[in-house]
Amino acid sequence: MSQLLADLLFPNVTETRDDLLKKYPVRGKNVVCTRLAPSPTGFLHIGGVYTALINRKIATQNNGVFMLRIEDTDKKREVPGSRKIITNVFNELGIKIDEGVTSETEEIGAYGPYVQSNRVEIYHILAKYLVEKGLAYPCFATEEELNEIRKNQESNHITPGYYKEYAKYRNTSIDEVKSFLALGKPYVLRFRVSDSAPERIKINDLIKGELEMDNNQNDFVLLKTDGIPTYHFAHACDDYLMHTSHVIRGDEWVSSLPIHIQLFEALDFSLPTYAHVAPVMKQEGESRRKLSKRKDPESNAEFYLEKGYPTKALYVYLYTLINSNFEEWYLANKDKDIEEFEVKFENMGLSGPLYDLDKLNNISSEIIYETSLEDNVNNLLKWANSYNVSDYNRFQNDLDFVKKIFMTQGPNSRERRKDLRNYSSFMETFGFLYDDYFNQSDVSEAQNFIDSVGKDRVSLVVNAYINYFNELKIENTAKTLKDLAKELGYTDKKKFQKNPEAYIGIFTEFYQILNLALSHKLNCISVDDVIAVLGFDEVINRLKKVLEWI
Ligand code: GLU
């Protein structure tokens, strides 16, 4: 009966499970093989990158293989162009793909195809095998029939589902199946859960430890009406035939483990080792929630490319989230390649780590600070070339100017500044040094400040600055800006508060007036740095412009 049914349902399938095992031989003893298996939804979540890095590291640390597989069995959720987006993120971030999909059109490796929609024949061979063994059957239940079954169960206080005696098409005769097929009735292929399936099961998870849970009792779907597999069936087929040793995936799949274990057993496949990763979380008020595609732009992996974060910053930050001991290791081993750090499952948290963009920004500023001038210029150009062509042309027009700006930054600079958090904020941070950008910049911050300080005082200070820089330009005076501030009657906060009548104001105001003249902002790089980039004449010119303006 089973063989007849199998031939009836899959008349064109001639290959067998054994043929597949020959085609996809075991990789060798104890070869570690991991994978990321994103769905092509038009978006790669930063949690996907996080999980990819764990998979990549575990493979590398064991001289193993890391694969990228595209899981496109849910056609409703598929967004065209996703494969390009996903592989582009991998390539840009330098996450090496040993096997699988490597670009929009290419894939590498002997265990492919690596896109599930190209593996339908494989799923059908294994589906036929399950039918032959009496472990799968066609179910012709309509939506109405399924609803009716559920309603009956609910009114009799019975656990709802499609199982045992409630599985209406479990024991359909071969003649009936034939007549349904002749009528063209749509059907799904369901798994037949064994009547002797235990109530509870235990499984070991490398992150979560031993898990005990209710077993699955439902005759779940293997192939949908269009013959496309469900995620569960494809997972068992692919991860066995590709010989994935460690399935490291999001912990939303923990609850599906009973189904997966039943499938591996039924297919007579050895079970991979599982490690379920908790999702990255975001603090919102008092509570925590998953980083959301809809609400949080930073949930999108492409965000980091568009913003121009150095790849290393993202790695350092994500490793910090992956392993609790990474940060300490990193600070103690600044001279080492971060890839020397060993990622361990036992150092992964059970609850999802908190995602904090400010922390990434700090790490990133630190890394840009430590990056050589040449590399910073190249990184900036590379970013601009991909994401902002007009900035790219501006930089290319005068590379020396870009270099001069970077000379104000880093450990060899006068003030050891670290103003840049990512390459896309270059113009926001240093744009004022470009005349056209400066002339068009928003002056409301400056205007409000002048209004609050008072025009007379601003003009007094600006005139003093003009004289000072004129003098400084011709003779190297020993007088500092602080001396000038004191001459004008500025002092520190403490002294001012004690005796406000004796002074004109506090030092901060004095420096802010200069910053506003130079950049239209209250804070900017030091005047010495501005002089180094623009020269005395332009500094004096910008100060004079303030006098015209007030
Ligand atoms: N396609 C699944 C997802 O995007 C992957 C789950 C897995 O890694 O097995 O969530």
Side-chain angles (χ1 to χ4, degrees):
M1 151 85 180
S2 298
Q3 189 60 54
L4 277 179
L5 182 60
D7 290 337
L8 192 62
L9 297 177
F10 301 100
N12 302 322
V13 173
T14 51
E15 277 185 283
T16 64
R17 176 182 173 280
D18 282 349
D19 295 330
L20 288 176
L21 298 191
K22 275 187 212 122
K23 218 170 180 175
Y24 301 109
V26 175
R27 289 173 183 271
K29 231 178 166 217
N30 300 328
V31 172
V32 167
C33 180
T34 64
R35 89 299 190 273
L36 191 82
S39 299
T41 57
F43 168 91
L44 183 64
H45 197 284
I46 190 66
V49 175
Y50 172 81
T51 312
L53 287 188
I54 300 173
N55 275 284
R56 176 66 269 181
K57 276 295 271 179
I58 297 301
T60 307
Q61 284 169 194
N62 294 285
N63 298 317
V65 175
F66 168 68
M67 305 181 286
L68 179 63
R69 180 171 75 224
I70 300 290
E71 302 209 325
D72 60 345
T73 55
D74 189 349
K75 290 293 165 195
K76 281 187 273 203
R77 288 177 64 220
E78 183 163 350
V79 175
S82 301
R83 188 170 155 175
K84 189 171 172 188
I85 292 174
I86 295 168
T87 49
N88 182 43
V89 170
F90 270 71
N91 294 334
E92 290 284 318
L93 296 181
I95 307 173
K96 187 170 174 275
I97 299 160
D98 300 319
E99 272 183 31
V101 166
T102 53
S103 75
E104 195 175 9
T105 50
E106 292 152 310
E107 59 173 53
I108 50 170
Y111 288 81
Y114 295 90
V115 177
Q116 287 184 328
S117 56
N118 296 331
R119 299 174 63 80
V120 173
E121 278 173 29
I122 296 174
Y123 306 126
H124 285 192
I125 295 168
L126 292 170
K128 187 171 186 181
Y129 170 80
L130 290 179
V131 177
E132 281 164 2
K133 284 184 65 178
L135 294 173
Y137 64 90
C139 167
F140 297 89
T142 60
E143 206 55 44
E144 291 75 43
E145 285 174 300
L146 292 174
N147 281 340
E148 201 176 313
I149 295 169
R150 208 193 50 244
K151 268 192 211 144
N152 270 338
Q153 289 167 326
E154 278 168 2
S155 53
N156 293 311
H157 306 289
I158 295 164
T159 314
Y162 197 87
Y163 59 97
K164 294 190 179 154
E165 66 265 37
Y166 307 103
K168 189 169 174 186
Y169 291 87
R170 233 185 184 206
N171 299 311
T172 315
S173 72
I174 191 98
D175 288 337
E176 246 180 316
V177 172
K178 270 187 197 162
S179 66
F180 287 149
L181 292 180
L183 287 171
K185 261 188 102 134
Y187 71 89
V188 297
L189 193 75
R190 284 187 186 267
F191 183 75
R192 185 193 303 273
V193 176
S194 159
D195 287 341
S196 57
E199 297 242 321
R200 305 268 296 166
I201 56 153
K202 280 185 185 166
I203 177 157
N204 198 48
D205 182 282
L206 287 182
I207 299 169
K208 300 195 183 288
E210 190 180 70
L211 299 169
E212 193 186 330
M213 57 185 98
D214 281 344
N215 200 2
N216 168 60
Q217 302 298 344
N218 265 297
D219 285 358
F220 56 89
V221 174
L222 300 169
L223 298 179
K224 296 176 265 189
T225 46
D226 54 4
I228 301 291
T230 54
Y231 162 71
H232 308 298
F233 187 46
H235 156 54
C237 298
D238 293 349
D239 280 314
Y240 182 75
L241 291 177
M242 293 179 182
H243 302 290
T244 308
S245 63
H246 294 69
V247 171
I248 307 165
R249 62 182 177 186
D251 69 2
E252 68 270 27
W253 297 109
V254 166
S255 58
S256 305
L257 274 171
I259 290 180
H260 299 165
I261 295 169
Q262 287 176 347
L263 271 171
F264 275 85
E265 273 175 13
L267 289 161
D268 206 7
F269 288 161
S270 54
L271 205 63
T273 300
Y274 285 101
H276 286 95
V277 179
V280 281
M281 307 294 279
K282 179 156 177 154
Q283 188 79 37
E284 199 172 55
E286 294 289 284
S287 55
R288 289 181 175 196
R289 58 164 176 80
K290 283 190 194 179
L291 263 190
S292 129
K293 174 177 176 175
R294 208 165 38 83
K295 290 194 208 155
D296 310 311
E298 72 271 29
S299 67
N300 187 348
E302 287 179 295
F303 170 87
Y304 303 88
L305 305 180
E306 282 158 22
K307 290 279 175 197
Y309 281 98
T311 307
K312 186 177 170 188
L314 197 58
Y315 273 62
V316 166
Y317 182 53
L318 291 178
Y319 283 160
T320 306
L321 299 183
I322 289 169
N323 265 187
S324 46
N325 58 328
F326 173 76
E327 200 166 357
E328 201 186 327
W329 178 92
Y330 175 64
L331 294 174
N333 294 284
K334 275 290 186 71
D335 50 328
K336 290 195 182 146
D337 185 337
I338 53 168
E339 293 308 319
E340 285 184 41
F341 175 76
E342 194 180 345
V343 163
K344 288 192 176 143
F345 289 111
E346 64 255 39
N347 293 331
M348 288 181 200
L350 290 180
S351 59
L354 207 54
Y355 203 80
D356 176 4
L357 211 49
D358 288 341
K359 176 128 194 202
L360 170 65
N361 284 334
N362 287 340
I363 292 172
S364 186
S365 320
E366 209 51 65
I367 283 171
I368 293 179
Y369 173 82
E370 287 161 6
T371 301
S372 72
L373 191 144
E374 286 71 29
D375 287 350
N376 267 329
V377 173
N378 288 337
N379 294 347
L380 177 72
L381 288 175
K382 185 167 177 270
W383 166 80
N385 194 19
S386 305
Y387 297 99
N388 192 324
V389 182
S390 69
D391 279 359
Y392 179 76
N393 293 334
R394 175 193 288 281
F395 302 148
Q396 280 290 13
N397 260 340
D398 194 349
L399 277 179
D400 281 343
F401 195 71
V402 175
K403 282 183 195 158
K404 268 191 197 166
I405 295 174
F406 269 119
M407 273 156 65
T408 66
Q409 303 289 305
N412 301 323
S413 67
R414 191 185 341 255
E415 297 200 355
R416 308 202 170 161
R417 293 192 69 94
K418 40 184 98 159
D419 294 301
L420 205 59
R421 64 180 183 282
N422 54 45
Y423 294 106
S424 71
S425 57
F426 185 88
M427 285 306 283
E428 184 191 315
T429 315
F430 302 117
F432 74 92
L433 294 164
Y434 289 89
D435 273 349
D436 62 324
Y437 188 95
F438 174 72
N439 290 333
Q440 288 163 21
S441 62
D442 178 13
V443 293
S444 53
E445 192 178 358
Q447 191 63 60
N448 290 341
F449 184 82
I450 293 169
D451 291 347
S452 74
V453 172
K455 284 179 185 170
D456 292 348
R457 206 147 89 198
V458 172
S459 113
L460 174 84
V461 175
V462 169
N463 273 313
Y465 271 127
I466 294 172
N467 291 336
Y468 176 78
F469 288 120
N470 268 325
E471 270 173 43
L472 200 62
K473 189 181 145 190
I474 39 179
E475 51 162 319
N476 215 350
T477 131
K479 192 161 116 183
T480 63
L481 280 180
K482 200 162 190 176
D483 297 334
L484 178 66
K486 283 182 189 162
E487 271 175 25
L488 290 171
Y490 283 100
T491 188
D492 59 39
K493 203 171 171 184
K494 246 193 193 157
K495 284 193 186 139
F496 183 77
Q497 276 166 348
K498 253 193 203 157
N499 198 359
E501 282 79 38
Y503 302 99
I504 173 173
I506 55 176
F507 288 135
T508 327
E509 178 188 293
F510 171 77
Y511 292 113
Q512 280 173 332
I513 293 173
L514 181 59
N515 289 346
L516 285 175
L518 298 179
S519 70
H520 291 163
K521 286 186 288 191
L522 288 173
N523 286 308
C524 75
I525 55 175
S526 79
V527 64
D528 286 340
D529 286 334
V530 178
I531 291 166
V533 178
L534 295 180
F536 276 109
D537 291 343
E538 178 58 18
V539 167
I540 293 165
N541 190 24
R542 288 191 181 188
L543 283 159
K544 283 184 180 161
K545 270 195 193 151
V546 178
L547 292 180
E548 288 165 22
W549 179 22
I550 56 178

